[in-house]
Amino acid sequence: MASSPTRRGFLVDLAATASSLVLSAKRAAASDVSAASPRRHKWGMVIDLDRCTGCQACALACRAENNIPVAGPVDTEMGRSIFWMNQLKRSEGTYPDVRQQFLPAPCNHCEDPPCIKVCPVGATTQSDEGITQQIPERCIGCRLCEVSCPYTRRYFNWSEPEWPDALREQLNPDVAVRPHGVIEKCLFCHHRIRKVKDDARVEGRSLTDEDVRRLPACAETCPAEAIVFGDLNDPESEVSRLRESPRAFRLLEELGTHPKVIYLREAKWQE
Amino acid sequence: MRYLSRRGMLRALAASGAATAAACRRYGGPTQVTRVPAGWFRGEERRIASTCGQCPAGCGITVRVHEGRAIKIEGTRGHPINGGGLGPKGQAGLQLLYHPDRIRGPLRRDGARGSGRWIQISWDEAIDRLATDLGRLRASGDAEGLVVIDGEPRGPVPRLWDRFLTAYGSPNHVTHLSTSNGANALTMEFMQGIQEMPAYDWANTEYVLGFGTSLFESACQTIHLARASSAMRRGRPGRRVKFVQVSTRFSITAAKADEWLRIKPATYGALALGIAHVLVRDNLYDTDFVRDHTFGFESWRDGHDRAHRGFRDLVLSEYKPESVAHITGVPVETIQRLAREMSAHRPAIALAEGTGTAATNALGTAMAIHSLNALLGSIETQGGVLVRRTTLPSWMPPVELDEIARRGLAATPIDGRNTPACPLGAGSIQFVPEAILSERPYPVRALILYRSNPVFSKPEGGKWVEALQKIPLVVSCSPLPDESTLWADLVLPDHTYLERWEVADPAPSSGMPIIGLRQPVVDARHDTKATGDVIIRLGRALGNGVATAFPWADYREAMTQQLQGIKPDVAALVARMEKTGGWWDEQQFERWDEALATPSRRFEFYSQAIASRLAALFPTDEALEQHLIRHSVVTRGDDLCLPHWEPAQLAGDPREYPFLLDAHRGINYAEGGVRHLPWLRELPAAGLLAWKEIVEINPDDAERLVLHEGDSVVVESPAGKRRFQVRVDPGTAPGTVGLPLGHGPWPVTADDASASAGHGLLVALSDPLAGTFAQHGTRVRVRKEA
């Protein structure tokens, strides 16, 4: 890994080299196109806010699945907690005219992600299935992607990940622990996608919507079944059906980032 | 807002150059590869079906175990309670299993109480010691001096304790019922003759009116409800169930409801009866159901030709919408609209789970709310209130009592059960510390704590610390060194729920018969033992009299015998349960003989059980009158047996303590609290104050007291005082202070033995007749810390 003077040099030369690095990143992404897939998947997620009850199990399941360390009292107070699946809460109004909203908030996996454009080292790329990936080994911790993400869904590792010995037993062997000093983010549980793809290949069949509908840890645990995952390129999939709902919207659509996380807004009871 | 401060922090650090320095600290390399334990091959994975134990709901879980290590807990697909989902508490189970502070084996105290000095002993020695001490106590004729506080609401272990205490000769099987929805259970008993919490058919209902409920926070069916409410809204295209929440605090449940109505604290019963008034007055109620299946609706005469007041007369004369609006602060038009909506959208459910019945008027209130279900014909019908079906059968034959046992069992229970102290209730745990300290009705000689940590989770924790120190022998079965275990003499650590083989008896969900199974997902991590096994070994070690009640070799054999009552072919049943995590059957409706077991075999607006219990405990009207005056009860006569409302009593002078403490439990309140599991402490919506003990204050009150988010305050109640951080919250009613329960310091030390964490600020106030704990009855003052 680069030592600090070199890294600083990188930052100084950023403007000059950025475009060529982006190109190399794109080449890197193109090279890991998976072998035999009849139709290219485009993974997306629909979150129904009318079903969501704000229980936050999604956030906790994500932490357990992806080996995200507990922030602890000091880092929490400094706002350094990491939640690939976050839960944003917003209260407004004056009692008794109060409103409160919950928003489960994973990475939006934009079709045109601003974070990729600014990475000077190609540490963040888009897979050919539409997942915005992060490669900790390449990341130099400059945090440009963190500030460029309009949704604030990128997290910096402010400290060495630590677990008491007993709790290391729980670590998921499928997910690497990210070191201190790099950015990390939601990856749509791509290790689980790989697993179901392998399983399907072994069984000699192609992936079905049923295989992936509750695949990511957040979707699997959601007691209200508010989170649906699937292939946006498959017109028959649940996510494709739900994105056509009149309640569907995306966050900050006006920015032209084209998020692949689609929300369904809350509805009202009508007599 | 969180992100602003994250970035603000970075800017500050970057300016000082610290960010670069911090970013360059060396990465310590990948985590070590663990050894594969015997019986596993490299890369092997198993998925083990079991039942969650983080709350009484009994969700089905499937644990992913990789090379002998439990990696992840998921909900079991197709399970009738959670249907594949799992809440945050269930997810956090692995932090309990792998908790670094778990007690490694049986401990004997070595040093002063509370010193935290222990000697680890063997299980043989531990059980021998306890059997010797309890044997001596029994031989000396003080069997009733043994008290077991048992915090598990249902299942085989509470029954084993019951059996143990019966054979031993102590009436003191103290439960947590009075502090957890006790009024609801009593309402089912008095109005329907059923000794269980109600079940609800969420899938078929059309309208839900919640009175101070915490459906999406800490009702004992939260996960089942999240799933149900999601289906109520989106499960049937074009049809949406309306959920109206009435509460003082604008909670998550209120935020997620279709409509939220603010109400003055502790006036829920009046609102329910106001709605009942409109239903009856405008003939909007289910006349067929009321005629065929209820008792006490019209005024009636008893066998002695004495006239009794009917429910119709009560609500029509005393709960006019105008006066109800004055009491509750809910406008007359709203009361009338609610009645019309409920009547037009049947089946409808009136729900009293949670804080609606947490004041000193709890029983009358819970009965008032439940009476709406009868008026709307929602009892035992599709989309209405059901009863819990088949539970685990009891062991046969029942315990044979010897002379010592008979004498001991005749003693007065120390929790006030069946005494004038708690005339209508099933005992009150909040009476226990006073009974221990005053040695009335007799001294407590030994106390066993099972799934119970009263110093932390019961009101007036400080008094509990004093009480524990007065008892000569305190035994704790906790797997974690909690606030009460600190004062124990002997610790017999239990397995966690992920390490034991056990039949689970879930809370009534949607009224289907259901039994869950727990099985070890990993080998026991430490030298712990399932308490079921401990009870059986202890019973057998006590010899004559007690041992005969425990004919089984171990806990598993005892449970297998119980399962025989469900299916004679136990082996097949167990095989199925080990695969699916449980056994369940279809819902049933309109089985009146099962659902209505009152003396009249009808739904009783006028509870004859209340009348006869009062008559038995208070031989004369004068005695009852004296009792009511002493406890400042204003209701009299027939109204005591009918749904009614009277103003709640509060602890603390309003001039000294201007705020009402609105204590509540969040979604993260697991067995034992929040503070010991970092995952639950750090739920994202808790934000920057996640690790702090906080109180919530309305912005106007905060401005008046010059308080800002994160400021330090001292909150003082008549029971104690404690320092908190302020969260300014527009959803907290002016004049109240919100207190999320379950927080406090961890690990526990004797230094923090002031015991004001957890529930320590709450005063042990009770419903004067039902004996249920009034969680909403403590007044406090708030002082800003300099």
Side-chain angles (χ1 to χ4, degrees), chain A residues 88-92 99-103:
Chain A
L88 309 180
K89 187 173 99 170
R90 183 189 160 99
S91 308
E92 54 192 15
R99 262 166 53 84
Q100 190 176 61
Q101 274 192 308
F102 284 89
L103 193 81

Side-chain angles (χ1 to χ4, degrees), chain B residues 234-445:
Chain B
R234 295 276 142 215
R236 298 173 295 182
R239 276 172 81 200
R240 183 191 180 86
V241 176
K242 185 172 189 185
F243 168 44
V244 180
Q245 163 83 344
V246 189
S247 61
T248 306
R249 193 171 66 87
F250 182 74
S251 58
I252 292 174
T253 308
K256 281 289 168 186
D258 291 289
E259 182 179 353
W260 172 60
L261 297 168
R262 159 193 56 162
I263 187 169
K264 291 184 193 162
T267 59
Y268 299 95
L271 177 65
L273 292 168
I275 295 171
H277 174 102
V278 179
L279 288 173
V280 174
R281 182 194 69 193
D282 298 351
N283 234 349
L284 296 170
Y285 66 98
D286 187 331
T287 43
D288 291 347
F289 178 84
V290 168
R291 186 191 59 233
D292 296 342
H293 296 291
T294 69
F295 169 84
F297 183 73
E298 306 288 351
S299 300
W300 54 289
R301 286 183 171 278
D302 64 17
H304 305 288
D305 205 34
R306 262 197 311 212
H308 290 279
R309 187 184 212 184
F311 181 73
R312 175 202 286 276
D313 179 50
L314 173 86
V315 292
L316 287 183
S317 60
E318 289 184 26
Y319 295 95
K320 295 197 171 68
E322 293 72 25
S323 49
V324 168
H326 181 72
I327 295 169
T328 60
V330 179
V332 173
E333 307 76 61
T334 310
I335 298 170
Q336 294 182 340
R337 175 170 59 82
L338 287 176
R340 278 197 299 271
E341 277 184 8
M342 287 188 97
S343 171
H345 297 92
R346 281 187 259 171
I349 292 173
L351 197 60
E353 213 115 352
T355 55
T357 52
T360 58
N361 54 14
L363 180 60
T365 297
M367 287 174 70
I369 296 167
H370 196 38
S371 69
L372 290 178
N373 290 317
L375 285 180
L376 294 163
S378 301
I379 305 289
E380 193 59 7
T381 52
Q382 285 217 343
V385 185
L386 304 176
V387 297
R388 180 181 162 76
R389 314 289 175 183
T390 357
T391 46
L392 277 180
S394 289
W395 293 289
M396 294 312 257
V399 183
E400 269 182 52
L401 302 181
D402 63 7
E403 188 45 40
I404 304 177
R406 258 193 293 275
R407 195 149 25 97
L409 288 172
T412 314
I414 63 161
D415 61 1
R417 213 177 323 145
N418 301 324
T419 69
C422 175
L424 300 179
S428 303
I429 186 171
Q430 67 272 25
F431 295 173
V432 170
E434 186 57 44
I436 295 171
L437 289 168
S438 67
E439 304 200 340
R440 281 197 205 121
Y442 42 80
V444 171
R445 315 259 183 203

Side-chain angles (χ1 to χ4, degrees), chain B residues 37-344:
Chain B
W40 290 80
F41 57 81
R42 173 76 62 203
E44 184 181 359
E45 295 221 348
R46 295 177 198 162
R47 280 171 198 270
I48 300 174
S50 189
T51 301
C52 185
Q54 291 273 57
C55 85
C59 293
I61 56 172
T62 301
V63 183
R64 174 185 172 207
V65 186
H66 177 89
E67 295 174 2
R69 301 183 292 122
I71 300 293
K72 184 80 172 36
I73 306 181
E74 306 289 359
T76 301
R77 294 273 171 102
H79 194 280
I81 292 179
N82 53 324
L86 193 64
K89 293 184 277 193
Q91 286 286 349
L94 295 178
Q95 279 199 337
L96 179 70
L97 174 68
Y98 292 123
H99 202 295
D101 297 338
R102 279 189 59 187
I103 297 168
R104 302 302 204 251
L107 302 175
R108 176 164 62 80
R109 180 163 61 85
D110 179 44
R113 273 193 172 163
S115 65
R117 284 209 299 277
W118 307 92
I119 292 180
Q120 190 161 343
I121 54 178
S122 71
W123 275 101
D124 287 344
E125 188 188 340
I127 288 175
D128 272 358
R129 279 179 67 95
L130 186 56
T132 312
D133 286 351
L134 295 185
R136 202 177 299 139
L137 181 63
R138 184 169 143 90
S140 67
D142 291 328
E144 70 276 10
L146 169 65
V147 177
V148 173
I149 302 186
D150 164 17
E152 191 170 15
R154 47 181 87 69
V157 176
R159 292 178 190 209
L160 281 175
W161 281 125
D162 215 44
R163 203 169 165 88
F164 177 82
L165 288 168
T166 307
Y168 184 85
S170 168
N172 291 313
H173 185 184
V174 177
T175 69
H176 285 192
L177 185 65
S178 70
T179 53
S180 51
N181 272 324
N184 253 350
L186 290 174
T187 294
M188 287 299 280
E189 181 175 350
F190 292 136
M191 299 181 105
Q192 291 189 229
I194 303 295
Q195 293 188 334
E196 240 314 348
M197 301 284 184
Y200 301 95
D201 182 21
W202 305 110
N204 297 307
T205 196
E206 292 294 336
Y207 195 99
V208 179
L209 177 58
F211 291 84
T213 50
S214 42
L215 292 194
F216 304 140
E217 289 134 297
S218 68
C220 67
Q221 294 285 324
T222 304
I223 298 313
H224 183 65
L225 275 157
R227 177 163 158 250
S229 81
S230 158
M232 285 185 223
R233 292 183 166 182
R234 295 276 142 215
R236 298 173 295 182
R239 276 172 81 200
R240 183 191 180 86
V241 176
K242 185 172 189 185
F243 168 44
V244 180
Q245 163 83 344
V246 189
S247 61
T248 306
R249 193 171 66 87
F250 182 74
S251 58
I252 292 174
T253 308
K256 281 289 168 186
D258 291 289
E259 182 179 353
W260 172 60
L261 297 168
R262 159 193 56 162
I263 187 169
K264 291 184 193 162
T267 59
Y268 299 95
L271 177 65
L273 292 168
I275 295 171
H277 174 102
V278 179
L279 288 173
V280 174
R281 182 194 69 193
D282 298 351
N283 234 349
L284 296 170
Y285 66 98
D286 187 331
T287 43
D288 291 347
F289 178 84
V290 168
R291 186 191 59 233
D292 296 342
H293 296 291
T294 69
F295 169 84
F297 183 73
E298 306 288 351
S299 300
W300 54 289
R301 286 183 171 278
D302 64 17
H304 305 288
D305 205 34
R306 262 197 311 212
H308 290 279
R309 187 184 212 184
F311 181 73
R312 175 202 286 276
D313 179 50
L314 173 86
V315 292
L316 287 183
S317 60
E318 289 184 26
Y319 295 95
K320 295 197 171 68
E322 293 72 25
S323 49
V324 168
H326 181 72
I327 295 169
T328 60
V330 179
V332 173
E333 307 76 61
T334 310
I335 298 170
Q336 294 182 340
R337 175 170 59 82
L338 287 176
R340 278 197 299 271
E341 277 184 8
M342 287 188 97
S343 171

Side-chain angles (χ1 to χ4, degrees), chain B residues 692-707:
Chain B
K692 307 285 184 198
E693 289 178 56
I694 60 134
V695 285
E696 299 150 341
I697 293 182
N698 181 276
D700 291 345
D701 288 334
E703 200 180 314
R704 211 159 35 76
L705 296 169
V706 203
L707 292 174

Side-chain angles (χ1 to χ4, degrees), chain A residues 4 7-8 48-57 59-65 68-73 76-83 85-89 91-100 102 141 143 146-149 151-156 158-160 163-164 166-174 177-181 192 210 214-215 217 220-226 247 265-271, chain B residues 2-3 5-7 9-10 13 19-20 22-28 31-32 34 45 64 66 68-72 74-75 77 82-89 91-92 94-95 98-100 206-207 216 223 226-227 229-231 233-235 240-242 247-252 255-258 260 262-263 341 344-345 525 667 678-680 682-692 698 700 729-734:
Chain A
S4 57
R7 197 185 291 185
R8 241 176 247 156
D48 190 339
L49 301 178
D50 205 29
R51 286 182 186 256
C52 171
T53 64
C55 79
Q56 308 174 57
L60 214 167
C62 173
R63 276 190 147 187
E65 177 75 13
I68 300 172
V70 162
T76 297
E77 210 181 353
M78 291 199 278
R80 294 172 173 185
S81 317
I82 296 175
F83 288 104
M85 175 53 122
N86 209 327
Q87 179 98 11
L88 309 180
K89 187 173 99 170
S91 308
E92 54 192 15
T94 313
Y95 190 92
D97 296 314
V98 213
R99 262 166 53 84
Q100 190 176 61
F102 284 89
R143 303 177 69 205
E146 190 185 0
V147 287
S148 75
C149 174
Y151 306 103
T152 67
R153 297 302 141 71
R154 293 179 150 268
Y155 299 86
F156 185 66
W158 281 96
S159 37
E160 206 66 68
W163 285 269
L167 280 163
R168 294 177 90 98
E169 297 276 301
Q170 178 270 324
L171 292 181
N172 184 354
D174 300 343
V177 172
R178 283 74 51 194
H180 159 249
R192 289 190 174 203
E210 187 58 36
R214 293 181 76 174
L215 188 72
E220 177 159 21
T221 203
C222 180
E225 297 171 29
R247 296 188 293 127
R265 75 182 147 70
E266 288 189 70
K268 284 277 162 266
W269 178 79
Q270 280 162 341
E271 195 148 12
Chain B
R2 185 174 163 272
Y3 294 97
S5 44
R6 239 163 85 98
R7 292 188 170 155
M9 183 54 62
L10 175 65
L13 283 169
T20 340
C24 296
R25 220 169 68 198
R26 206 163 282 276
Y27 163 50
T31 50
Q32 264 183 325
T34 46
E45 295 221 348
R64 174 185 172 207
H66 177 89
R69 301 183 292 122
I71 300 293
K72 184 80 172 36
E74 306 289 359
R77 294 273 171 102
N82 53 324
L86 193 64
K89 293 184 277 193
Q91 286 286 349
L94 295 178
Q95 279 199 337
Y98 292 123
H99 202 295
E206 292 294 336
Y207 195 99
F216 304 140
I223 298 313
R227 177 163 158 250
S229 81
S230 158
R233 292 183 166 182
R234 295 276 142 215
R240 183 191 180 86
V241 176
K242 185 172 189 185
S247 61
T248 306
R249 193 171 66 87
F250 182 74
S251 58
I252 292 174
K256 281 289 168 186
D258 291 289
W260 172 60
R262 159 193 56 162
I263 187 169
E341 277 184 8
H345 297 92
R525 299 268 307 150
I667 182 87
W679 272 340
L680 292 180
E682 281 191 13
L683 287 185
L688 303 181
L689 295 176
W691 283 80
K692 307 285 184 198
N698 181 276
D700 291 345
D729 169 33
T732 301

